[in-house]
Amino acid sequence: MKHYVAVDWGTTNFRAYLLTEQHRVVSKLSENKGLLSVKNRDFSTVLLQSIRQWKDMVDIASLPIYMAGMIGSRKGWYEVPYLPSSIELSDIKENLYEFSLDWGAKAFIVPGLQGKNCFSLNDVMRGEETQLVGLRKLIPDSSISAIFPGTHSKHMSLVEEHITDFYTVMTGELFALLNQYSILTKDIPEYYDDQNGFLLGVEKGYCNPLNSVLFSARTLLLDGSISSDSVRSYLSGLLIGNELALLRHVDNIFIVGGESLSHKYDVALSFLGKQAHTVNGEACFLAGMKAFLGDK
Amino acid sequence: MKHYVAVDWGTTNFRAYLLTEQHRVVSKLSENKGLLSVKNRDFSTVLLQSIRQWKDMVDIASLPIYMAGMIGSRKGWYEVPYLPSSIELSDIKENLYEFSLDWGAKAFIVPGLQGKNCFSLNDVMRGEETQLVGLRKLIPDSSISAIFPGTHSKHMSLVEEHITDFYTVMTGELFALLNQYSILTKDIPEYYDDQNGFLLGVEKGYCNPLNSVLFSARTLLLDGSISSDSVRSYLSGLLIGNELALLRHVDNIFIVGGESLSHKYDVALSFLGKQAHTVNGEACFLAGMKAFLGDK
């Protein structure tokens, strides 16, 4: 039986899946081998070390490798040019970057997408295009609005095979910076998941410009509206609520990601009276890779 | 001749002015003796060390000290309760916190103000109330809109002796965090003041929600719209432009602060077609203290 490998290779994470040609997952690796950890750009050795674990099951020498994510960026293995985001999703598979591995097998890198967003600003994605293609396959609705929450959240709108808009929101990174370094969390206890604080933050963040409400994580503590245990949850709510204000006119939203973060967005969207549907990010990634392989 | 001392004592800065009873500055000290640097809350010793430099000019033992800023906060010398921001500015002087120094002289701390802002959120100031009182004395207009730019910018609206609104915008702190720690400035040259990059940022930040445009500091570099030398100026422009969007409906704005930062806001406001007037922050502080002393 033929097999292939699908790799989600990002800046900090590396996930590799061994699949049958019927797209059944046989084995899965998740390792701290993100781009930042790879010395001297020796991606070849790092990849081989990982897939070698499967050498008793498959013939490594002929095992094709399909990769998506920042591995195709300037800091990655090969810088694969972005495709225009106006491309039909079903055409991405014609544009995989193909090369031969040192040990003879074929490798492919999925190109990212680039285009002007609704704010008339250039925007980019690498990795999410694969999940988006998977989401398109998994969800029958002709129009889809989706959030891919994370360090850099992506908001995407799809009609059939076309991306009608996508843009990046830095919610995750902003939370990390404010949570770690800002005056708002100075002398505040470690993160504790406080639902009430989170929802109050969602409400205030949704209704107001971001920079006008951030300081309230401090002033609501001063006037006793929230407790010190709630500050970090409130701050998280402020940022997520404010992000969701960008989808003010959308009622039906898919959330594509890992369980914990998707749950936060789900809770926030429900609180705001929206229809939210969580879709497993890994399932979308694998469905996307399946679509890229097509009849190969 | 009688003298008094006015102290602007904040978290990181300490500025002390020796003045005649006619409010003429005789001498000025600016030292790195902010609250954070004071060991064991020994504010008394730190203050005495500073003013002792004036012992040949004045009688330290009877020299009254008027202080404003975070020195009146929980982390300061005494926690002076906030006054409601609905108070008439001219009534603040009746509410100075008075105590006796170890060496017998009188000391006073100006209370900060607290109240609900236009976003229905509690907000606070400590120190700016003194500058605001000074601004009120210096500017004859019955209505005033002012920005006090800084780590935590304050926006204030005044009608006669009443604050009609004030709120805090964390522009300075956000810039510091993003400039120092974020992915946007990774591998980017040190800050270089690029006017074109700054103004492009002002334009984009003014027209769009903050979190939807921050990532453009990276993507406009990727598509060549800005150079790596411009990234930090563009980011600064994004944040300041976005802050100024909160004053979208105000045409005539006073900027109260130090020269360098005030200049940035002045340039941005002029670019946006607003009438901007810079007013020296130190002059406002001293005029405020003069008003508090009144006929004393």
Side-chain angles (χ1 to χ4, degrees):
Chain A
M1 188 167 66
K2 285 178 186 167
H3 291 80
Y4 70 99
V5 173
V7 182
D8 183 1
W9 204 339
T11 307
T12 51
N13 291 310
F14 171 95
R15 290 191 192 86
Y17 305 80
L18 177 65
L19 298 109
T20 66
E21 65 183 337
Q22 286 78 35
H23 311 290
R24 191 173 59 78
V25 176
V26 177
S27 181
K28 173 182 168 180
L29 305 171
S30 181
E31 301 178 283
N32 298 324
K33 292 181 176 174
L35 264 56
L36 293 179
S37 76
V38 177
K39 302 222 170 75
N40 305 316
R41 307 176 64 90
D42 192 5
F43 301 102
S44 177
T45 301
V46 171
L47 176 64
L48 186 57
Q49 276 169 353
S50 290
I51 63 170
R52 200 180 269 153
Q53 302 176 48
W54 295 324
K55 69 178 177 342
D56 295 337
M57 289 187 274
V58 291
D59 175 24
I60 299 289
S62 65
L63 184 67
I65 314 284
Y66 289 82
M67 297 178 275
M70 293 302 280
I71 193 66
S73 72
R74 195 168 303 171
K75 308 235 159 158
W77 199 333
Y78 291 100
E79 185 177 1
V80 181
Y82 292 105
L83 294 175
S85 58
S86 55
I87 195 172
E88 287 207 11
L89 288 181
S90 51
D91 286 343
I92 295 178
K93 71 173 174 205
E94 313 305 330
N95 291 277
L96 304 194
Y97 177 82
E98 181 176 345
F99 63 106
S100 291
L101 294 160
D102 299 345
W103 54 93
K106 290 275 183 211
F108 304 86
I109 297 177
V110 182
L113 302 181
Q114 179 171 44
K116 278 252 164 84
N117 63 26
C118 58
F119 306 105
S120 300
L121 291 162
N122 182 48
D123 217 320
V124 295
M125 66 173 98
R126 280 201 196 273
E128 292 90 352
E129 75 294 322
T130 301
Q131 291 182 304
L132 189 63
V133 167
L135 182 69
R136 174 71 288 169
K137 295 289 174 190
L138 296 175
I139 305 297
D141 308 19
S142 69
S143 295
I144 295 175
S145 283
I147 300 178
F148 295 65
T151 307
H152 299 158
S153 278
K154 304 281 178 189
H155 290 196
M156 317 241 191
S157 306
L158 268 185
V159 174
E160 304 296 352
E161 293 288 325
H162 281 99
I163 298 171
T164 51
D165 190 27
F166 82 99
Y167 54 88
T168 305
V169 198
M170 287 181 62
T171 302
E173 183 166 353
L174 274 183
F175 179 72
L177 294 178
L178 291 163
N179 190 43
Q180 192 170 354
Y181 301 113
S182 80
I183 196 170
L184 301 177
T185 50
K186 198 167 150 58
D187 301 325
I188 294 295
E190 286 302 294
Y191 189 84
Y192 162 78
D193 193 357
D194 174 65
Q195 179 93 337
N196 289 337
F198 176 74
L199 291 178
L200 182 64
V202 168
E203 181 195 330
K204 300 300 182 189
Y206 188 76
C207 298
N208 297 296
L210 183 60
N211 208 351
S212 72
V213 289
L214 280 177
F215 196 59
S216 68
R218 180 143 202 90
T219 55
L220 294 197
L221 174 68
L222 285 173
D223 84 344
S225 300
I226 56 175
S227 73
S228 62
D229 272 341
S230 307
V231 168
R232 294 179 200 267
S233 290
Y234 176 74
L235 182 59
S236 167
L238 277 183
L239 286 163
I240 289 176
N242 191 262
E243 176 184 341
L244 296 178
L246 296 166
L247 297 171
R248 194 176 297 282
H249 303 296
V250 184
D251 295 322
N252 200 16
I253 298 166
F254 291 88
I255 307 164
V256 179
E259 197 170 343
S260 159
L261 194 53
S262 291
H263 178 68
K264 273 187 192 296
Y265 279 75
D266 192 13
V267 167
L269 283 166
S270 302
F271 174 75
L272 294 168
K274 310 275 191 186
Q275 290 285 327
H277 318 270
T278 57
V279 187
N280 183 278
E282 186 177 80
C284 286
F285 169 75
L286 292 171
M289 281 299 191
K290 176 178 168 181
F292 290 148
L293 268 72
D295 302 326
K296 278 174 194 162
Chain B
M1 187 167 66
K2 286 180 185 168
H3 291 80
Y4 71 98
V5 173
V7 182
D8 183 1
W9 204 338
T11 308
T12 52
N13 291 309
F14 171 94
R15 291 191 193 86
Y17 305 81
L18 177 64
L19 298 109
T20 65
E21 66 183 338
Q22 287 78 35
H23 312 288
R24 191 173 58 77
V25 175
V26 177
S27 182
K28 172 183 166 179
L29 305 171
S30 180
E31 301 179 282
N32 298 324
K33 292 182 176 175
L35 264 56
L36 293 179
S37 77
V38 177
K39 301 221 171 74
N40 304 318
R41 308 176 63 91
D42 192 5
F43 300 103
S44 177
T45 301
V46 170
L47 176 65
L48 185 58
Q49 277 169 352
S50 291
I51 63 170
R52 201 180 267 152
Q53 303 176 48
W54 294 324
K55 68 180 179 343
D56 296 337
M57 290 188 273
V58 290
D59 175 23
I60 299 290
S62 65
L63 184 67
I65 314 285
Y66 291 81
M67 296 178 275
M70 293 302 282
I71 193 66
S73 72
R74 195 167 304 172
K75 308 235 158 158
W77 200 331
Y78 292 100
E79 185 177 1
V80 182
Y82 292 106
L83 294 175
S85 58
S86 55
I87 194 171
E88 287 208 11
L89 288 181
S90 52
D91 286 342
I92 295 179
K93 71 174 174 205
E94 314 304 330
N95 291 277
L96 305 194
Y97 177 82
E98 182 176 343
F99 64 105
S100 292
L101 294 161
D102 299 345
W103 53 94
K106 290 274 183 212
F108 305 85
I109 297 177
V110 183
L113 302 181
Q114 179 171 44
K116 278 253 164 84
N117 63 26
C118 57
F119 306 105
S120 300
L121 291 162
N122 182 48
D123 217 320
V124 296
M125 66 173 98
R126 279 201 196 271
E128 292 90 351
E129 75 294 322
T130 302
Q131 290 182 305
L132 189 63
V133 167
L135 181 70
R136 173 72 287 169
K137 295 288 175 191
L138 296 174
I139 305 297
D141 308 19
S142 68
S143 295
I144 295 175
S145 283
I147 300 179
F148 295 65
T151 306
H152 298 158
S153 279
K154 304 281 178 189
H155 290 197
M156 317 240 192
S157 306
L158 269 185
V159 175
E160 302 298 351
E161 293 288 324
H162 281 100
I163 299 171
T164 51
D165 190 28
F166 82 99
Y167 54 88
T168 304
V169 198
M170 287 182 61
T171 302
E173 183 166 354
L174 273 183
F175 179 72
L177 293 179
L178 290 163
N179 190 43
Q180 193 170 354
Y181 300 113
S182 80
I183 196 169
L184 301 176
T185 51
K186 198 168 151 58
D187 303 325
I188 293 295
E190 287 301 294
Y191 190 85
Y192 162 79
D193 192 358
D194 175 64
Q195 179 92 336
N196 290 336
F198 176 73
L199 290 179
L200 181 64
V202 169
E203 181 195 330
K204 300 300 182 189
Y206 188 75
C207 299
N208 297 296
L210 183 59
N211 209 351
S212 72
V213 289
L214 280 177
F215 196 59
S216 67
R218 178 141 201 92
T219 54
L220 295 196
L221 175 69
L222 284 173
D223 84 343
S225 300
I226 56 175
S227 73
S228 61
D229 272 342
S230 307
V231 168
R232 293 179 200 267
S233 290
Y234 175 75
L235 182 59
S236 167
L238 277 183
L239 286 163
I240 289 177
N242 190 263
E243 176 184 342
L244 296 178
L246 296 167
L247 297 171
R248 193 176 297 282
H249 304 296
V250 183
D251 294 324
N252 201 14
I253 297 165
F254 292 89
I255 307 165
V256 179
E259 198 170 343
S260 160
L261 193 54
S262 292
H263 178 67
K264 272 187 194 293
Y265 278 75
D266 192 12
V267 167
L269 283 166
S270 302
F271 174 75
L272 294 169
K274 310 276 190 185
Q275 290 286 327
H277 318 271
T278 57
V279 187
N280 184 278
E282 185 177 81
C284 286
F285 169 75
L286 292 171
M289 281 298 191
K290 176 178 168 180
F292 290 147
L293 268 71
D295 302 326
K296 279 175 193 165

